[in-house]
Amino acid sequence: MTWAADATALADLDRCEEFFVKRHVENLAEVEESAALTQGKEVHALLARWWVGEAIESAPPWLDEYAKQRAEVRVANQVLLVEEPVYLGGYGGVPDLVLLGEHGVVLVVDHKTTAKPLTAAWVEQWALSEQFAGYLDLVEATLLEKGIEFSDIVVKTSGLVDNPRRFVSCGSSWLPPTKVVVDALQFAKPKARKFVPKDSTGLDGEWITEDVEVPVSRRVGSVGDLVATGWYEFAVPLGLCQELAVARVIKTQRALDLRDGATPLKRTRSCYAWGRACPYLPMCRLGTQEHRAAMRDILIESGVLEVREWDFANRKA
């Protein structure tokens, strides 16, 4: 797979260039994935199979419920891309789903899983998304490269009141206006397991389930019951996309420079984030490259880190 900086890589670049290099250039990954990442991959894999019409035996109950709520959407739209890597220069990504919708509007769909309520505030956070703006540019370039043609009449009658982002003229072909869609799936909050000893020795006892929200590191089991879904469309203004595109080009070039050997800058305020220390901190805190290399070997041999072959799927959730 072609190396490219995706939205996750650029977010990590913003966090700390040293973190970016360790994760995306040296391909050092934590052996133990978070429960949220594992569950997210499970959900995305099943959704991809469902959208292409694959029969899924022994489907989990949540997928049956999701299928009921999205059946009309799948019938009314043509599937163009599903989990297909797309590239534009040194930038790339894997949109979950691209649909050709009513009146020729292209819908770039991103599945989002959460245990949080789908409030207005939760939805609005996606209105200004560098990831989504990048997906729009990637999808437009990919569809044009594939030579997918759309009727002038279909595009011109789609209606400007919907604030389409742009029209792209390509000879006799037209690319329709594009929108991003957050396909939200809210699952029940996972439950914690607590060991209750029967005596003072603590050797004998039983595990009980607590009906409380717990940190990701303590979550157990697979994806819980589906609580709610949402289908939220955003038409990203052209001016905003241009601003985000400029920032994305600058950061992508820096990512390519770091890939090719530029010295990364450490941002020490990011050594502790999301309630935990950076997994690469034991290396970064040492004073010489020799000592850092030795610590890298120790972390790999002890099963904390591993060298994982690069691809977008390693980080997708």
Side-chain angles (χ1 to χ4, degrees):
M1 180 178 287
T2 304
W3 193 97
D6 61 359
T8 300
L10 295 190
D12 288 341
L13 183 70
D14 284 338
R15 172 180 175 178
C16 174
E17 291 188 353
E18 189 74 48
F19 184 94
F20 165 85
V21 169
K22 292 288 189 293
R23 187 180 186 193
H24 303 281
V25 178
E26 297 180 14
N27 300 323
L28 289 174
E30 292 182 270
V31 173
E32 184 177 348
E33 288 185 340
S34 69
L37 181 58
T38 300
Q39 292 174 354
K41 288 181 177 180
E42 176 186 333
V43 171
H44 278 76
L46 287 171
L47 291 179
R49 293 171 60 190
W50 182 83
W51 276 99
V52 298
E54 180 180 335
I56 302 175
E57 297 182 1
S58 303
W62 70 261
L63 184 59
D64 291 335
E65 180 60 29
Y66 175 88
K68 294 176 184 176
Q69 298 185 30
R70 293 290 179 271
E72 291 185 7
V73 177
R74 189 171 70 174
V75 171
N77 296 277
Q78 176 187 348
V79 175
L80 298 179
L81 304 173
V82 177
E83 298 280 1
E84 180 176 329
V86 290
Y87 304 95
L88 184 61
Y91 185 73
V94 187
D96 292 332
L97 176 68
V98 179
L99 303 173
L100 179 58
E102 188 178 6
H103 303 307
V105 176
V106 172
L107 302 175
V108 182
V109 183
D110 196 71
H111 307 306
K112 295 293 185 185
T113 59
T114 182
K116 298 178 180 179
L118 305 182
T119 61
W122 186 90
V123 174
E124 284 302 312
Q125 70 175 306
W126 310 112
L128 182 61
S129 169
E130 186 175 53
Q131 177 191 21
F132 291 165
Y135 276 168
L136 291 176
D137 288 336
L138 288 168
V139 168
E140 288 184 354
T142 300
L143 295 185
L144 286 173
E145 184 178 343
K146 288 177 175 290
I148 297 177
E149 297 186 358
F150 302 92
S151 166
D152 292 2
I153 298 177
V154 170
V155 174
K156 291 178 180 177
T157 59
S158 61
L160 295 177
V161 293
D162 290 333
N163 188 27
R165 195 168 67 90
R166 70 181 68 176
F167 292 108
V168 179
S169 177
C170 184
S172 61
S173 302
W174 284 79
L175 191 66
T178 51
K179 291 183 179 181
V180 292
V181 178
V182 174
D183 182 19
L185 297 89
Q186 180 193 347
F187 288 98
K189 293 181 180 179
K191 297 180 179 181
R193 294 178 64 200
K194 178 181 179 181
F195 183 76
V196 180
K198 291 183 177 180
D199 53 45
S200 60
T201 67
L203 299 178
D204 188 22
E206 63 178 345
W207 287 92
I208 64 172
T209 299
E210 299 177 300
D211 191 13
V212 296
E213 185 176 6
V214 295
V216 169
S217 60
R218 292 176 55 206
R219 294 180 185 180
V220 296
S222 188
V223 179
D225 296 332
L226 185 63
V227 176
T229 67
W231 185 268
Y232 309 105
E233 296 187 8
F234 297 92
V236 185
L238 176 58
L240 174 58
C241 273
Q242 290 174 332
E243 290 181 27
L244 295 176
V246 170
R248 186 173 67 247
V249 168
I250 293 172
K251 288 192 284 188
T252 297
Q253 184 58 57
R254 179 57 179 167
L256 294 173
D257 290 343
L258 290 168
R259 181 201 63 179
D260 295 337
T263 302
L265 299 176
K266 290 182 175 61
R267 296 190 174 94
T268 56
R269 294 186 64 182
S270 299
C271 293
Y272 186 86
W274 305 105
R276 61 194 292 263
C278 172
Y280 309 120
L281 182 59
M283 288 180 282
C284 292
R285 64 188 299 176
L286 299 177
T288 68
Q289 292 297 332
E290 181 181 359
H291 289 160
R292 292 171 190 169
M295 177 57 70
R296 175 183 182 274
D297 293 340
I298 292 173
L299 293 173
I300 292 175
E301 291 173 3
S302 61
V304 176
L305 299 177
E306 65 179 355
V307 178
R308 188 176 300 169
E309 184 179 356
W310 185 93
D311 67 69
F312 288 121
N314 281 337
R315 297 185 297 277
K316 188 159 186 59

